Amino acid sequence: MVERDLDHVGRIMAQWAEQRPDLDVSPQGIVGRLSRLAQHLDEELTVVYRSFGLGEGEFDVLATLRRSGTPFELTPGGLAASTMVSSGAVTKRVDRCLEKGWVTRRVSDLDGRGRVVALTLAGRELIDEAFEAHMANEQRLVGSLGDLERARLARLLETWGRTLGA
């Protein structure tokens, strides 16, 4: 293959193969491309979030509360577990959502020391609209892949993620 036919990662791999032929650089073909793709996808996803006045963190909080089902509320610990960020990060995200009126925070009915974060009607309406746009965007992003390719890629990524504990 001619170097100009290679993508960015392919050119890097070709350079390393020339400079260090003693090393197997084939993992770069996966890790490097996945890393570049993840950066590109993040940029494409945040455009939609921003169009609704949301950052990635606020979108994550609202989406997590919405998918939790009625009554659309979780403890901060439940939010942290469902979003896989630290409790400190959850607090900052919730505070931003509180300021906008998208969530409320109250004392737990079950434990007077605990708190509960709940989606407001405004927050629910916002996340419902934003999530529809988000899913349309994700459909667009994977649109060049056929159904079988999507299923295979999803399975491969799941298997790899489980192996790495991600």
Side-chain angles (χ1 to χ4, degrees):
M1 187 175 291
V2 180
E3 186 170 319
R4 70 175 179 272
D5 294 332
L6 298 174
D7 67 354
H8 181 76
V9 173
R11 286 188 296 277
I12 290 170
M13 291 172 62
Q15 290 170 334
W16 276 118
E18 186 176 313
Q19 297 301 312
R20 290 295 308 269
D22 57 310
L23 293 177
D24 175 13
V25 298
S26 64
Q28 285 185 320
I30 298 168
V31 176
R33 286 184 178 103
L34 193 57
S35 177
R36 288 177 58 85
L37 183 59
Q39 290 172 1
H40 180 76
L41 291 174
D42 281 345
E43 292 168 9
E44 293 283 336
L45 296 175
T46 57
V47 167
V48 172
Y49 305 152
R50 281 194 306 267
S51 73
F52 288 90
L54 297 165
E56 185 177 9
E58 293 90 353
F59 180 91
D60 200 16
V61 166
L62 298 179
T64 300
L65 289 169
R66 178 64 174 96
R67 74 174 185 262
S68 73
T70 304
F72 310 113
E73 60 184 35
L74 291 168
T75 64
L79 271 171
S82 294
T83 59
M84 298 189 324
V85 296
S86 70
S87 59
V90 165
T91 299
K92 290 177 185 176
R93 291 174 174 191
V94 168
D95 287 347
R96 289 192 301 264
C97 290
L98 272 165
E99 290 172 10
K100 301 286 189 171
W102 299 328
V103 300
T104 60
R105 183 170 35 213
R106 63 175 167 75
V107 174
S108 170
D109 297 334
L110 303 174
D111 174 7
R113 297 169 302 176
R115 300 288 180 260
V116 174
V117 178
L119 201 54
T120 64
L121 180 58
R124 182 173 171 190
E125 289 172 351
L126 175 63
I127 195 58
D128 281 348
E129 188 178 351
F131 189 70
E132 285 180 32
H134 172 67
M135 290 315 307
N137 191 33
E138 286 195 350
Q139 289 288 350
R140 176 187 66 81
L141 291 168
V142 299
S144 64
L145 301 175
D147 291 343
L148 185 57
E149 290 171 312
R150 289 181 193 191
R152 285 180 176 163
L153 182 56
R155 272 195 307 278
L156 283 170
L157 292 172
E158 178 186 11
T159 299
W160 189 21
R162 286 178 188 263
T163 301
L164 296 176

